């Protein structure tokens, strides 16, 4: 699924008025699966010492071994992912994950924050949380890269 297809799917679901953060995960998993060859995306993986991020990205390392290459925490569309505006629970979770997970994607389905070794490396928004979820198609290729 390319980013335009992903955006169309989350927009369709959102318009139905019955969604939660879990409603968007199948589309997000398909998007992640399509972006990087050789990396498997697992929704609801086993927990790590600091909690249970929503996704883990793994790559086969040979001889039956797998290498964790990253994690993703997915929040509901419309929920801010900037820690400055988070409630105490989400802020504590965010801070734990950023500190402990060396390669982390934090997203609300429209906004994506990429953390590398505890530092914000990149922030990309592919749409606005307004009526109709207007897209930012100029950012689709940026997100893919």
């Amino acid at each position: 699924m390319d980013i335009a297809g992903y955006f169309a799917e989350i927009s369709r679901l959102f318009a139905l008025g019955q969604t939660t953060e879990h409603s968007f995960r199948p589309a997000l998993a398909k998007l992640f699966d399509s972006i990087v060859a050789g990396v498997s995306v697992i929704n609801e993986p086993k927990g790590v010492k600091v909690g249970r991020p929503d996704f883990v990205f793994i790559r086969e390392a040979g001889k039956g071994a797998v290498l964790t290459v990253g994690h993703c925490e997915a929040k509901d569309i419309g929920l801010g992912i900037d820690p400055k505006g988070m409630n105490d629970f989400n802020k504590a979770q965010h801070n734990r994950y950023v500190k402990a997970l060396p390669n982390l994607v934090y997203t609300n389905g429209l906004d994506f924050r990429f953390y590398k070794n505890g530092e914000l490396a990149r922030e990309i928004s592919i749409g606005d949380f307004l009526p109709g979820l207007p897209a930012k198609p100029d950012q689709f290729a940026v997100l893919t890269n």
Side-chain angles (χ1 to χ4, degrees):
M1 173 182 288
D2 65 6
I3 294 175
Y6 162 77
F7 196 88
E9 177 63 6
I10 65 168
S11 295
R12 182 188 72 76
L13 292 170
F14 185 78
L16 297 172
Q18 296 293 315
T19 57
T20 69
E21 76 178 51
H22 297 274
S23 306
F24 304 105
R25 287 196 197 159
L28 195 54
K30 286 180 188 176
L31 174 65
F32 289 146
D33 270 334
S34 71
I35 289 178
V36 182
V39 173
S40 296
V41 178
I42 300 173
N43 181 22
E44 292 292 328
K46 293 180 179 179
V48 293
K49 289 181 182 180
V50 295
R52 292 193 58 206
D54 297 320
F55 293 95
V56 65
F57 309 115
I58 59 173
R59 177 173 286 157
E60 291 183 32
K63 298 183 183 178
V66 294
L67 174 66
T68 298
V69 295
H71 292 86
C72 175
E73 178 63 20
K75 298 299 183 187
D76 202 0
I77 288 180
L79 189 66
I81 59 169
D82 185 332
K84 294 174 189 166
M86 291 180 180
N87 66 33
D88 290 341
F89 174 82
N90 284 337
K91 187 182 290 188
Q93 179 193 53
H94 172 274
N95 291 343
R96 275 193 328 271
Y97 287 178
V98 167
K99 193 179 288 185
L101 303 172
N103 195 15
L104 175 67
V105 179
Y106 221 84
T107 185
N108 62 11
L110 299 172
D111 304 313
F112 294 80
R113 291 182 135 215
F114 297 88
Y115 293 91
K116 194 79 167 161
N117 297 318
E119 298 292 326
L120 179 62
R122 188 80 190 257
E123 188 171 10
I124 300 165
S125 179
I126 62 168
D128 288 319
F129 182 69
L130 298 169
L133 298 180
K136 297 179 181 177
D138 60 314
Q139 295 299 299
F140 290 5
V142 176
L143 180 59
T144 299
N145 290 331

